[in-house]
Amino acid sequence: MELDKTDRKILSLLQDDATLSLNELAEAVNLTTTPCWKRLKKLEDQGIIQKRVALLNPDKLDLSFTAFVMVKTSDHSHEWYSQFVETVSEFPEVMEFYRMAGEYDYMMKVLVKDMPCFDQFYKKLVNSVAGISNVTSTFAMEPLKYTTALPLGAS
């Protein structure tokens, strides 16, 4: 889909504050509410806007221990992959989960309260799926940048 400047502005505004009313959004992009609503509907129908959510402060919820977990496996069958993805996707501590190219096969970002909670997660992970040959974890000491806003640019 080709996005024009107005679509990009709408998306940028919503990334910053998804609680903007239709009137506020329309005014910010110099449209009346009906054309603005039609653009929003089109962006939603095409899956560009997937959903609108509240971003929570993990520190305020005592979830400030971030680990990056890299996994290697010797089993690259579709069956193992499907079971691994299904199992890991059910762990609420896993915030992000990727299949990787390079030294490790999979990487996940894990958010928990502290090291004992991470140890529980680790044990649950390695005991949930057979065929994991190596698990390496690194721990974030300080977040330096975090955003959910996609770099829309002007293209």
Side-chain angles (χ1 to χ4, degrees):
M1 174 188 164
E2 204 54 42
L3 298 176
D4 65 15
K5 281 184 176 183
T6 303
D7 291 329
R8 289 180 186 284
K9 179 75 172 170
I10 289 169
L11 293 171
S12 180
L13 289 165
L14 288 175
Q15 283 190 118
D16 188 51
D17 183 0
T19 66
L20 287 173
S21 70
L22 181 58
N23 286 338
E24 292 169 320
L25 197 56
E27 186 177 316
V29 297
N30 297 315
L31 291 174
T32 59
T33 55
T34 301
C36 187
W37 178 83
K38 286 180 180 178
R39 284 176 180 262
L40 270 175
K41 180 81 172 110
K42 182 177 74 168
L43 292 166
E44 289 171 346
D45 290 347
Q46 293 180 333
I48 293 170
I49 297 175
Q50 293 180 335
K51 60 182 170 177
R52 300 181 203 190
V53 300
L55 298 178
L56 308 180
N57 183 329
D59 292 331
K60 300 279 185 186
L61 297 167
D62 206 14
L63 292 168
S64 57
F65 191 89
T66 303
F68 295 92
V69 179
M70 285 76 68
V71 174
K72 286 184 185 180
T73 182
S74 55
D75 188 344
H76 295 279
S77 68
H78 179 72
E79 293 77 20
W80 186 91
Y81 167 83
S82 295
Q83 180 193 5
F84 184 63
V85 170
E86 182 179 330
T87 300
V88 171
S89 295
E90 292 176 7
F91 293 165
E93 305 92 338
V94 176
M95 305 305 296
E96 299 177 46
F97 182 32
Y98 302 93
R99 187 169 62 88
M100 305 295 290
E103 185 177 350
Y104 289 92
D105 299 309
Y106 302 92
M107 183 177 81
M108 55 194 93
K109 177 182 175 184
V110 176
L111 190 61
V112 292
K113 177 181 177 178
D114 53 22
M115 181 57 84
C117 290
F118 177 77
D119 188 45
Q120 286 179 325
F121 165 81
Y122 176 87
K123 289 173 184 170
K124 184 170 63 169
L125 173 67
V126 297
N127 289 310
S128 293
V129 182
I132 294 175
S133 61
N134 186 330
V135 178
T136 300
S137 301
T138 58
F139 307 103
M141 294 176 62
E142 175 186 16
L144 301 175
K145 179 180 179 181
Y146 170 78
T147 184
T148 61
L150 299 179
L152 298 176
S155 31

